[in-house]
Amino acid sequence: MRKKIVAGNWKMNNDLAATNTLISELIKKEKTANADVIIAPTFVNLLEASKRLKDSSIKVAAQNMHFANHGAYTGEISATMLKSVGVNTVILGHSERREFFSEDDNLLKQKVNKALDEDMQIIFCFGEKWEDRSIGKHFMVVESQIKNALFHIKNENWKSIVLAYEPVWAIGTGQTASPEQAQEMHAFIRNLVKENYNSTISEDVSILYGGSVTSENCKELLREEEIDGALVGGASLIASDFAAICRAAE
Ligand code: PEP
């Protein structure tokens, strides 16, 4: 059964005090959502977030991880380190990682493999740039991003995968994809999974939309049949806005 999921990507925002304040506000609003709710604070605040949310239904995710267990990778964080602070979910392939840290399909494939080996849940992000869409290449770009990093996994691995379609032109720009554009792409993605795996897997995988989702536009996006939730950046930093988005995903 497909799940409704709303995940908040806090990016490089919120120091320890701000993390605690936002978590306290979210805990107060927690009971109002039926969707699975996930927040992804910055690495240094994952332990604190994990402790604070230990008895809560809100899950904590990391925004990235390395593919190795340990070793000479200055500045990196491994899956086992994340798990040791209670984090079992990781966002991989975010467009900012692809753009500013040169993460490509091959590297992401290695990260996917590691996360699966460690039994972690993966929120796998992908999406086209405006220049791709403007020349009609958006389906092709999305297909190759998904195929190259994910389509080697086994059928049973799909229970650990959440897909997140995030058109790059919509991230942090205020220019949200229309519900029709998002629905069209999500249907394409689901069909891609069906063609390469089977209809049980394609029907069960949750496909989130991300890109300037707000408390105002969330209802019309989340009412679309193929949109199973949202990956939220900016609006996840404001408790009332994030809670409204979580409530809309039912
Ligand atoms: C994101 O960073 O994943 C994102 C969707 O950001 P925003 O909601 O701010 O566009």
Side-chain angles (χ1 to χ4, degrees), residues 9 11 94 96 166 170-172 210-213 231-234:
N9 175 14
K11 312 193 188 192
H94 192 280
E96 287 150 18
E166 298 206 301
I171 297 180
S212 296
V213 176
L231 179 53
V232 188

